[in-house]
Amino acid sequence: MPSLEDELFPSTPGKFKIDRNHTMNRQFHRCFASTSTMFLWALFLVALTASYLSFQSFVDSGSRYFTASWGGIQWEKQIRNSAQIRRSNGKSVLVTGAAGFVGTHVSLALKKRGDGVVGIDNFNNYYDPSLKKARKSLLNNHGIFIVEGDINDARLIARLFDIVAFTHVMHLAAQAGVRYAMENPHSYVHSNIAGLVTLLEACKSANPQPSVVWASSSSVYGLNEKVPFSESDRTDQPASLYAATKKAGEEITHTYNHIYGLSITGLRFFTVYGPWGRPDMAYFSFTRNILQGKPITVYRGKNRVDLARDFTYIDDIVKGCVGSLDTSGKSTGSGGKKRGPAPYRIFNLGNTSPVTVPTLVSILERHLKVKAKRNFVDMPGNGDVPFTHANISLAQRELGYKPTTDLATGLKKFVKWYLSYYGYNHGKAVN
Ligand SMILES: O=C(O)[C@H]1O[C@H](OP(=O)(O)OP(=O)(O)OC[C@H]2O[C@@H](n3ccc(=O)[nH]c3=O)[C@H](O)[C@@H]2O)[C@H](O)[C@@H](O)[C@H]1O
């Protein structure tokens, strides 16, 4: 039988070979063996501590990356309060990108009718974050809590689903903007691809699974020339990385519907505008420049043809979003497993009445009572498409979607908001 020493120090040629007949030697070896055992244990403990510490620092740096400042009893209480349903058969909805343009309006509409709403937004600086903070205050005043965090933070999203059994997710967080994709392509992959997958992973694992309604884009029609654009038209020729990531989103959501039974509705928004809008969009930046007496750049297509968009007013878009939530049908999976087929739908949400960009400028001039300084420039090859035009018959049939605001009426409301928000008085900013 090998002794303990033999097992710890196998009898191999070399300096640790034990002479069994020598007592001193034996004592020395016993002593040495126990010291070495302790040494090995100490080494083991040091290694264990080191790996624990490095794991912690990995987790911490991950949290720092997401600038997460979430958690705690008070934080959870605010989430539960915000998610409270105050009508019969109401919904509890997680709205991503809630401090964004569409997110703010949809959150308010849901809250006003008695649904529970919890928002999440990373408040990035793609455009002036103070506008996002102002939208957040507006939502807070209506009892809507916005979690500051990124949809790529899987721990945070999982925690939200632990706290609230959301019936629906209205996914509006995204890197928007067609032309900015040439400047910062990775931000599109981060939000529109990686963020989407992280969110869908959480939705698929949630019990019960929520129904998901999310923002795709009219830009998926890309170089399609058949008008008006119908959902069944080809969408495999994106003209920008933005469009490509939105198209990828449609395919990615399809796999989650197919494999896990998530109910999915994708909404192809057509150039949404209105109060509390996005400063990077043409109608908004044109307004700013016109009021400041600065020139505006108006792009023109091939052969000097005017560009045109199916500009869609925010209130009409909100109705389409709410209609989608109300008709979404249930997800069928549980425990991350599909239990039956679930709805997969895609709808155009447009105004179905395109207007040229020069006409947009003329309407703004009328409402602002200021003449614009136009610089006409050939459309650069930066992802723009010459025109968009939605066929909305599918949304009309399935969602009862019926836009009612024409561009002149909608821009009037936008200008009124703009002048008030930025403190204009008779054409001059007072702050
Ligand atoms: O429906 C969508 O899927 C997208 O709509 C929106 O994209 P677009 O339709 O490109 O809106 P927007 O930038 O307002 O340009 C409007 C028009 O003004 C022209 N335009 C623009 C800027 C400029 O300086 N000059 C100009 O002529 C420009 O050439 C264009 O013809 C969203 O931003 C996008 O996130 C996405 O949701």
Side-chain angles (χ1 to χ4, degrees):
M1 280 280 286
S3 68
L4 189 63
E5 291 99 318
D6 288 338
E7 280 181 5
L8 282 169
F9 297 98
S11 182
T12 49
K15 55 182 173 180
F16 294 125
K17 181 137 178 136
I18 297 166
D19 178 357
R20 287 165 195 277
N21 298 324
H22 200 288
T23 322
M24 284 296 286
N25 231 0
R26 202 179 167 84
Q27 274 170 356
F28 168 77
H29 275 287
R30 183 168 290 147
C31 171
F32 183 80
S34 67
T35 311
S36 302
T37 311
M38 277 170 61
F39 176 72
L40 277 180
W41 275 109
L43 210 65
F44 174 68
L45 284 172
V46 167
L48 202 69
T49 312
S51 45
Y52 173 75
L53 287 176
S54 68
F55 174 72
Q56 274 303 106
S57 94
F58 168 75
V59 168
D60 286 351
S61 67
S63 298
R64 268 199 301 281
Y65 175 68
F66 297 123
T67 58
S69 56
W70 50 270
I73 292 168
Q74 187 55 25
W75 181 80
E76 290 186 13
K77 201 172 149 198
Q78 285 174 303
I79 289 172
R80 284 201 185 88
N81 281 346
S82 194
Q84 284 271 313
I85 300 171
R86 297 178 202 279
R87 68 181 178 108
S88 59
N89 294 324
K91 304 173 182 8
S92 53
V93 188
L94 174 65
V95 179
T96 72
F101 171 34
V102 180
T104 295
H105 285 274
V106 172
S107 298
L108 281 174
L110 293 172
K111 193 72 179 179
K112 279 180 183 165
R113 71 176 195 171
D115 289 328
V117 179
V118 175
I120 176 170
D121 203 294
N122 70 3
F123 293 89
N124 69 25
N125 60 3
Y126 167 60
Y127 61 79
D128 182 10
S130 75
L131 178 58
K132 300 179 185 184
K133 294 283 178 189
R135 295 186 190 125
K136 181 189 172 185
S137 300
L138 177 71
L139 295 178
N140 287 166
N141 292 342
H142 285 81
I144 300 168
F145 182 65
I146 309 283
V147 173
E148 295 205 22
D150 195 299
I151 51 167
N152 281 279
D153 189 343
R155 281 171 59 225
L156 169 59
I157 307 289
R159 189 78 202 98
L160 294 178
F161 274 98
D162 282 346
I163 299 168
V164 180
F166 292 108
T167 57
H168 293 75
V169 171
M170 182 81 226
H171 174 47
L172 298 166
Q175 176 59 61
V178 174
R179 291 164 288 280
Y180 179 66
M182 289 182 71
E183 253 176 76
N184 190 357
H186 293 292
S187 64
Y188 290 80
V189 178
H190 176 79
S191 295
N192 305 356
I193 307 274
L196 174 66
V197 171
T198 304
L199 181 74
L200 291 171
E201 280 291 313
C203 293
K204 143 220 141 180
S205 305
N207 237 336
Q209 289 178 336
S211 303
V212 179
V213 178
W214 74 285
S216 181
S217 160
S218 72
S219 66
V220 299
Y221 290 108
L223 306 181
N224 178 42
E225 288 190 339
K226 181 182 155 290
V227 279
F229 300 163
S230 299
E231 289 84 348
S232 54
D233 289 350
R234 65 186 294 191
T235 52
D236 57 353
Q237 302 169 293
S240 65
L241 184 68
Y242 168 71
T245 59
K246 285 294 181 181
K247 175 62 183 165
E250 293 188 355
E251 315 293 15
I252 289 167
T253 50
H254 185 269
T255 61
Y256 277 81
N257 167 265
H258 175 68
I259 300 175
Y260 301 110
L262 276 180
S263 163
I264 301 282
T265 305
L267 302 175
R268 294 177 178 167
F269 294 161
F270 283 69
T271 315
V272 190
Y273 72 98
W276 295 98
R278 275 173 35 207
D280 62 311
M281 290 183 68
Y283 73 96
F284 202 118
S285 64
F286 286 174
T287 300
R288 187 175 51 223
N289 282 11
I290 292 170
L291 284 170
Q292 292 175 359
K294 293 181 184 164
I296 58 169
T297 306
V298 180
Y299 299 136
R300 267 199 308 220
K302 267 191 206 139
N303 306 319
R304 301 188 157 191
V305 171
D306 290 333
L307 303 182
R309 287 290 181 275
D310 198 357
F311 296 102
T312 310
Y313 189 62
I314 183 65
D315 290 2
D316 291 323
I317 288 292
V318 169
K319 282 183 206 147
C321 290
V322 173
S324 298
L325 288 168
D326 288 346
T327 56
S328 58
K330 285 197 184 323
S331 293
T332 63
S334 65
K337 284 215 169 64
K338 181 179 178 178
R339 309 278 168 194
Y344 180 84
R345 314 181 298 168
I346 288 190
F347 296 109
N348 285 342
L349 291 186
N351 194 48
T352 202
S353 144
V355 176
T356 67
V357 177
T359 305
L360 164 89
V361 176
S362 304
I363 297 171
L364 283 176
E365 286 179 320
R366 210 168 64 230
H367 291 322
L368 293 168
K369 301 186 181 70
V370 183
K371 197 102 190 92
K373 296 172 186 158
R374 299 167 173 77
N375 273 343
F376 286 96
V377 167
D378 285 344
M379 184 174 86
N382 56 7
D384 245 333
V385 292
F387 61 87
T388 62
H389 183 182
N391 176 341
I392 54 165
S393 47
L394 190 61
Q396 235 154 9
R397 205 167 57 237
E398 304 283 322
L399 313 176
Y401 172 73
K402 197 170 177 294
T404 55
T405 310
D406 63 27
L407 187 61
T409 310
L411 283 179
K412 190 172 180 183
K413 292 181 183 182
F414 165 72
V415 165
K416 190 172 173 218
W417 167 82
Y418 187 100
L419 296 178
S420 150
Y421 181 78
Y422 288 104
Y424 273 84
N425 194 6
H426 306 298
K428 283 203 171 75
V430 293
N431 62 4

